[in-house]
Amino acid sequence: MNSDFYSDSIVLLEGAIEDITSKLNIIKKYKEQKEGRCPIEYVTSRVKSEESMKEKLKRKGFEVTLENALTKIYDAAGVRIICAYIDDVYEVAKMLKSYSDLEVVEEKDYIKNPKPNGYRSYHIIFRLSLDLAGEIKPVFVEIQIRTIAMDFWSNLDHQMKYKKDIKNPEFIAAELKRCADEIATTDLNMMTIRNMINNT
Amino acid sequence: MNSDFYSDSIVLLEGAIEDITSKLNIIKKYKEQKEGRCPIEYVTSRVKSEESMKEKLKRKGFEVTLENALTKIYDAAGVRIICAYIDDVYEVAKMLKSYSDLEVVEEKDYIKNPKPNGYRSYHIIFRLSLDLAGEIKPVFVEIQIRTIAMDFWSNLDHQMKYKKDIKNPEFIAAELKRCADEIATTDLNMMTIRNMINNT
Amino acid sequence: MNSDFYSDSIVLLEGAIEDITSKLNIIKKYKEQKEGRCPIEYVTSRVKSEESMKEKLKRKGFEVTLENALTKIYDAAGVRIICAYIDDVYEVAKMLKSYSDLEVVEEKDYIKNPKPNGYRSYHIIFRLSLDLAGEIKPVFVEIQIRTIAMDFWSNLDHQMKYKKDIKNPEFIAAELKRCADEIATTDLNMMTIRNMINNT
Amino acid sequence: MNSDFYSDSIVLLEGAIEDITSKLNIIKKYKEQKEGRCPIEYVTSRVKSEESMKEKLKRKGFEVTLENALTKIYDAAGVRIICAYIDDVYEVAKMLKSYSDLEVVEEKDYIKNPKPNGYRSYHIIFRLSLDLAGEIKPVFVEIQIRTIAMDFWSNLDHQMKYKKDIKNPEFIAAELKRCADEIATTDLNMMTIRNMINNT
């Protein structure tokens, strides 16, 4: 086991995130100037912690090495794109697929097909060809695209997952599920109102 | 009329915003370390444009001068604080009032008393004593505190206000009002669920 | 003449600068992790002002259009890379030429061949193929690479150029020239000391 | 010994750095607008690493506690201000002493009295009264003010200190000392030329 595996991985993972964040900043300003608005509201990102990466590699039966960190884990570099409206989510997904150095590895639409607990989001795993002054390194990046409301809901859901000794977990889960559906309805209503405003 | 009035105003207004933003960054990290979380999700800000400042001064019958820009307009420097939950809004308001160089000039609770169109937010105008290497300059700053959901709603409402030739404006306004109430209910539900998660 | 020519140009010019700055950030962290140091100390950038762009187009006999701004002016987007040592300058130049989307248009070595006034710097004009979600736009960028000392000198030189009614301009110019040579000698001495430290 | 002593210290130390950096940003923009230039070129900062803080406390015979980290170490939070010219250094020192929440604890002028090895810099230790929403915490911050040239020299000097097995260390030290004096002379020459440019 290489004790430096994390600091070696992290420069590539953070490099991939910086590359994609920079692409998104550029396209946002370009679309806002050219078309008056961009479907991207804001962007956040994170690199998986050393602990989670080690734990994931071990669980999957791989050795903890730089090589495995970069080829066996697809969500070590994560980018989240928050949109105002549901149709923006699909437009952003389409935009991302147009970059010549981003190749789709896997795609999941949890908006059309929400998870049983109510989770909604659009996930794409890309293989980015990161150009390091002529040396091309492939890096996997998981991009999650969702609305502001979906994102807010998932933060609360996430909080529940990491809380121990919750009383009435089934009741809370049911309430959360109900809220997720409520939020999805509001998202649709807001999009309808926006269309009414724009189409008149 | 002084053609430089705007560039002279803007360094003080932006200075006030930088001072307050810096206070909020510091307290956010401090609370997250000490208490595990901070009631502030994120912060945005803007300085009123030259055009709006001139227009506002003229409408109020004042000459367009640096002096008047800094003493007659209370919302030339604006900071918006976005919170996850409704009770966070009140905690942030209380925190802000504790700073020794921030003095409350005006306070409006549009959450307890929403505007007729459905608008919800908490507004405070502060007089900041900005320290410029020993020279103290008073600068007014309007701080708006609201939840993520209230903020999203108000963006759509704002869009409608600036759109011309809308068909069925009364119908859209009614729909927006209905959505605002729906969102307020969801905000309460989410807070209830969070309390259930935390109190167990 | 198109009044919007500048805001349309600027999104592409700023996009090109963001793309290159991001490349430099990524490679800096990568080299620091892999090799212990990177030849780049820090990076600054600027977009030519509307006034200078118009003035330059007119002087060259071109109409003031977006098209001409992007194809006839090579230094509308400018990036400056500051290095600690003279040999770093050449290493950075080599690195830049390795990117697959950067094509050299012009190259000038004012370090080996200083300008008569004492100016030293390495200049490359690149044609960047900027990827805007699949739409490729060529944008010219001028990159200047120099040491900290060369940069400091050129700031003072620049100040003199824009100062009117200087007394004894010939004397000051001669003093500046003498300082430039002094600085160049110090740069060489510092590099020699660094080599002595590293090679022992 | 408290294992959390570092994460508890660091929020206050980083808070102090954010507060001072923000003061410097505000005053820089203010002076540039009002007087055309500011004596501050740029600002860097660092918090002492956990290891160095522990080591320093032990060396001084203190227990490793949050309390001691904040009251017995004066340079745990460090800010470096880089100026273009020597007289700027003294102007920045004067500006800093004017803030009502910064109290001078110690002051050393290594420009008038360089260290034997050639080191030049102006050091002030301040006690900052950090306002955390009404709760005032005193935090020590060491501010180093120096010219670009002094800063460049000290980076090379620092490199030598941390390099093991150097051949001819006395010779290199003598060369470094000679370079430091050369640089100090160039700094004076540049200031003289600037004065000639400005006073005409």
Side-chain angles (χ1 to χ4, degrees):
Chain A
M1 193 191 311
N2 177 357
S3 73
D4 276 340
F5 105 99
Y6 192 63
S7 39
D8 282 344
S9 312
I10 217 168
V11 286
L12 292 171
L13 298 168
E14 285 182 348
I17 285 173
E18 161 117 32
D19 182 277
I20 285 173
T21 306
S22 155
K23 280 180 166 64
L24 295 171
N25 284 340
I26 294 169
I27 198 76
K28 187 164 165 46
K29 285 181 202 149
Y30 181 65
K31 293 228 162 218
E32 280 167 356
Q33 170 64 17
K34 219 179 130 194
E35 301 164 16
R37 88 174 276 272
C38 173
I40 297 164
E41 280 296 304
Y42 61 94
V43 175
T44 63
S45 63
R46 69 101 185 82
V47 169
K48 225 181 177 57
S49 72
E50 179 162 9
E51 205 183 6
S52 324
M53 277 172 68
K54 283 184 176 168
E55 192 265 323
K56 188 157 197 170
L57 283 175
K58 284 173 188 166
R59 205 178 58 224
K60 292 186 153 198
F62 295 116
E63 258 191 284
V64 175
T65 62
L66 172 62
E67 179 68 19
N68 284 339
L70 292 175
T71 56
K72 306 302 185 195
I73 303 182
Y74 286 178
D75 63 347
V79 173
R80 189 169 290 158
I81 301 173
I82 310 300
C83 305
Y85 301 101
I86 300 167
D87 50 4
D88 291 339
V89 171
Y90 293 96
E91 200 184 327
V92 171
K94 202 179 141 200
M95 270 162 48
L96 287 168
K97 292 184 214 164
S98 312
Y99 285 94
S100 62
D101 52 0
L102 286 177
E103 185 197 338
V104 176
V105 172
E106 202 183 286
E107 200 166 359
K108 278 186 187 158
D109 185 346
Y110 295 119
I111 296 176
K112 292 225 171 70
N113 308 294
K115 291 193 182 178
N117 66 348
Y119 178 80
R120 284 161 171 88
S121 192
Y122 198 98
H123 293 193
I124 314 180
I125 290 159
F126 284 106
R127 183 189 288 106
L128 166 68
S129 299
L130 186 64
D131 191 337
L132 294 153
E135 183 187 355
I136 307 295
K137 292 263 186 191
V139 186
F140 293 103
V141 181
E142 190 194 62
I143 301 191
Q144 303 182 341
I145 320 168
R146 48 173 82 156
T147 67
I148 297 169
M150 293 170 189
D151 188 54
F152 176 44
W153 181 90
S154 79
N155 287 337
L156 188 52
D157 182 61
H158 187 260
Q159 226 171 293
M160 197 183 72
K161 282 212 184 74
Y162 288 86
K163 183 87 184 181
K164 289 158 202 150
D165 306 322
I166 291 182
K167 284 189 219 147
N168 292 321
E170 294 81 13
F171 178 68
I172 295 179
E175 282 298 291
L176 261 172
K177 171 75 176 70
R178 202 172 53 76
C179 252
D181 296 342
E182 226 172 82
I183 280 171
T185 308
T186 307
D187 259 351
L188 285 171
N189 288 341
M190 292 292 276
M191 191 165 71
T192 305
I193 298 176
R194 185 211 56 187
N195 289 341
M196 288 193 291
I197 293 175
N198 287 339
N199 295 336
T200 49
Chain B
M1 193 192 309
N2 178 357
S3 73
D4 276 341
F5 105 100
Y6 192 63
S7 39
D8 283 343
S9 313
I10 218 168
V11 284
L12 291 171
L13 298 168
E14 285 182 347
I17 285 173
E18 162 117 30
D19 182 277
I20 286 174
T21 306
S22 155
K23 279 181 167 63
L24 296 171
N25 284 342
I26 294 169
I27 199 77
K28 187 165 165 44
K29 285 180 201 148
Y30 181 65
K31 294 228 161 219
E32 280 168 356
Q33 170 64 16
K34 219 180 130 193
E35 300 164 18
R37 88 174 277 271
C38 173
I40 297 164
E41 279 296 302
Y42 61 94
V43 175
T44 63
S45 63
R46 69 102 185 81
V47 170
K48 225 179 177 57
S49 73
E50 180 163 9
E51 206 183 6
S52 324
M53 276 173 68
K54 284 184 176 170
E55 193 265 323
K56 188 156 197 170
L57 283 175
K58 284 174 187 166
R59 207 178 57 225
K60 292 184 153 201
F62 295 115
E63 258 190 285
V64 175
T65 62
L66 173 61
E67 179 68 20
N68 285 339
L70 292 175
T71 56
K72 307 302 184 192
I73 302 182
Y74 285 177
D75 64 346
V79 173
R80 189 169 289 157
I81 301 173
I82 309 300
C83 305
Y85 301 101
I86 300 167
D87 50 5
D88 291 339
V89 172
Y90 294 96
E91 199 183 328
V92 170
K94 201 179 141 200
M95 270 163 49
L96 286 169
K97 291 184 214 165
S98 312
Y99 285 95
S100 61
D101 52 359
L102 285 178
E103 185 197 337
V104 176
V105 172
E106 203 184 285
E107 200 167 358
K108 278 185 185 157
D109 184 346
Y110 294 120
I111 295 176
K112 292 224 171 70
N113 308 293
K115 290 193 182 178
N117 66 348
Y119 178 80
R120 283 161 172 89
S121 193
Y122 198 98
H123 292 194
I124 316 180
I125 290 159
F126 285 105
R127 183 189 288 106
L128 166 69
S129 299
L130 186 63
D131 191 338
L132 294 153
E135 183 187 355
I136 308 295
K137 292 263 185 191
V139 186
F140 293 103
V141 180
E142 190 193 63
I143 301 192
Q144 303 182 341
I145 320 169
R146 48 173 81 156
T147 66
I148 298 168
M150 293 171 191
D151 188 54
F152 176 43
W153 181 90
S154 79
N155 287 337
L156 188 52
D157 182 60
H158 187 260
Q159 224 171 296
M160 197 184 71
K161 282 212 185 72
Y162 288 85
K163 184 87 184 182
K164 289 158 201 152
D165 306 320
I166 290 183
K167 283 189 220 149
N168 293 320
E170 294 80 14
F171 178 69
I172 295 179
E175 282 297 292
L176 261 171
K177 171 75 176 70
R178 203 172 53 75
C179 253
D181 296 342
E182 227 172 82
I183 281 172
T185 308
T186 308
D187 260 349
L188 285 170
N189 289 341
M190 293 292 276
M191 191 164 72
T192 305
I193 298 176
R194 185 212 54 187
N195 289 341
M196 289 193 291
I197 294 175
N198 288 339
N199 294 337
T200 50
Chain C
M1 197 191 309
N2 179 357
S3 73
D4 276 342
F5 106 99
Y6 193 63
S7 39
D8 282 343
S9 313
I10 217 168
V11 286
L12 292 171
L13 297 169
E14 285 182 346
I17 285 174
E18 162 117 29
D19 182 278
I20 286 174
T21 305
S22 155
K23 280 180 167 63
L24 296 172
N25 285 341
I26 294 168
I27 198 77
K28 186 165 166 46
K29 286 181 200 147
Y30 181 64
K31 293 229 161 215
E32 280 169 356
Q33 170 64 17
K34 221 180 128 192
E35 301 165 18
R37 88 175 275 271
C38 173
I40 297 165
E41 279 298 302
Y42 62 94
V43 175
T44 63
S45 63
R46 68 102 184 84
V47 170
K48 226 180 176 58
S49 73
E50 181 163 9
E51 205 184 8
S52 325
M53 276 173 69
K54 284 184 175 168
E55 192 264 324
K56 187 156 197 171
L57 284 174
K58 284 173 188 167
R59 205 177 57 223
K60 291 184 152 200
F62 295 115
E63 258 190 285
V64 175
T65 63
L66 173 61
E67 179 68 20
N68 284 340
L70 292 175
T71 56
K72 307 301 184 195
I73 303 182
Y74 286 176
D75 64 348
V79 173
R80 188 169 293 158
I81 302 173
I82 310 300
C83 305
Y85 300 101
I86 299 169
D87 50 5
D88 291 337
V89 171
Y90 293 96
E91 199 183 328
V92 170
K94 201 179 143 200
M95 272 163 47
L96 287 168
K97 292 185 214 166
S98 311
Y99 285 95
S100 62
D101 52 359
L102 285 178
E103 185 197 335
V104 176
V105 173
E106 203 184 286
E107 200 167 359
K108 277 185 188 159
D109 185 346
Y110 294 119
I111 296 176
K112 291 225 172 72
N113 307 296
K115 291 195 183 177
N117 66 348
Y119 179 80
R120 284 162 171 87
S121 192
Y122 198 98
H123 293 194
I124 316 180
I125 290 160
F126 285 105
R127 183 189 288 106
L128 166 69
S129 299
L130 186 64
D131 190 338
L132 294 152
E135 182 188 354
I136 308 294
K137 291 263 186 192
V139 186
F140 292 103
V141 181
E142 190 194 63
I143 301 192
Q144 303 182 342
I145 321 169
R146 50 173 82 156
T147 66
I148 299 168
M150 293 170 191
D151 189 52
F152 177 43
W153 181 90
S154 79
N155 286 337
L156 187 53
D157 182 60
H158 188 260
Q159 224 172 295
M160 197 184 71
K161 282 211 184 72
Y162 288 85
K163 184 85 183 184
K164 289 158 201 151
D165 305 321
I166 291 182
K167 282 189 221 149
N168 292 321
E170 293 82 12
F171 177 69
I172 295 179
E175 282 298 291
L176 263 171
K177 171 74 175 70
R178 202 171 53 77
C179 253
D181 296 341
E182 226 172 82
I183 281 171
T185 307
T186 307
D187 260 350
L188 285 171
N189 288 340
M190 292 293 274
M191 192 165 71
T192 305
I193 299 177
R194 185 211 58 188
N195 289 342
M196 287 192 293
I197 294 174
N198 288 340
N199 293 337
T200 50
Chain D
M1 195 190 312
N2 178 357
S3 73
D4 276 341
F5 105 99
Y6 193 63
S7 40
D8 283 343
S9 313
I10 217 169
V11 285
L12 292 171
L13 297 169
E14 285 183 346
I17 285 173
E18 162 116 31
D19 182 278
I20 285 173
T21 306
S22 155
K23 279 180 168 61
L24 295 172
N25 284 341
I26 294 169
I27 198 76
K28 186 164 166 47
K29 286 181 200 148
Y30 181 65
K31 293 230 160 216
E32 280 169 355
Q33 170 63 18
K34 220 180 129 193
E35 301 165 16
R37 87 175 277 272
C38 174
I40 297 164
E41 279 297 302
Y42 62 93
V43 175
T44 64
S45 63
R46 70 101 184 83
V47 170
K48 225 179 176 58
S49 73
E50 181 162 8
E51 204 184 6
S52 326
M53 276 172 68
K54 284 185 175 168
E55 192 264 325
K56 188 157 196 169
L57 283 174
K58 284 173 188 166
R59 206 179 55 224
K60 290 184 152 202
F62 296 114
E63 257 190 286
V64 176
T65 63
L66 173 60
E67 179 68 20
N68 285 340
L70 292 175
T71 56
K72 307 301 185 196
I73 303 183
Y74 286 177
D75 63 347
V79 173
R80 188 168 292 158
I81 302 174
I82 310 299
C83 305
Y85 300 101
I86 300 168
D87 50 5
D88 291 338
V89 171
Y90 293 96
E91 200 183 328
V92 170
K94 202 180 142 199
M95 272 163 47
L96 286 168
K97 292 185 213 164
S98 311
Y99 285 95
S100 61
D101 53 359
L102 285 179
E103 186 198 335
V104 176
V105 172
E106 202 184 286
E107 200 168 357
K108 277 185 187 157
D109 184 346
Y110 294 120
I111 296 176
K112 291 225 171 73
N113 309 295
K115 291 195 182 175
N117 66 347
Y119 179 79
R120 284 161 172 88
S121 193
Y122 197 98
H123 293 195
I124 315 180
I125 290 160
F126 285 105
R127 182 189 287 108
L128 166 68
S129 300
L130 186 64
D131 190 338
L132 294 153
E135 183 187 354
I136 308 295
K137 291 262 187 192
V139 187
F140 292 102
V141 181
E142 189 194 63
I143 301 192
Q144 303 182 341
I145 321 168
R146 49 173 82 158
T147 66
I148 298 168
M150 292 170 191
D151 189 52
F152 177 42
W153 181 89
S154 78
N155 286 337
L156 187 53
D157 182 60
H158 188 260
Q159 227 172 292
M160 197 183 71
K161 282 212 184 71
Y162 288 86
K163 185 86 183 182
K164 289 158 202 150
D165 306 321
I166 290 183
K167 282 189 221 150
N168 291 321
E170 293 82 12
F171 178 68
I172 295 179
E175 282 299 292
L176 263 171
K177 171 75 175 70
R178 202 171 54 77
C179 253
D181 296 342
E182 224 172 83
I183 280 171
T185 307
T186 307
D187 260 350
L188 285 171
N189 288 341
M190 292 293 273
M191 192 165 71
T192 304
I193 298 177
R194 185 211 57 188
N195 289 341
M196 288 193 291
I197 294 175
N198 287 339
N199 293 338
T200 49

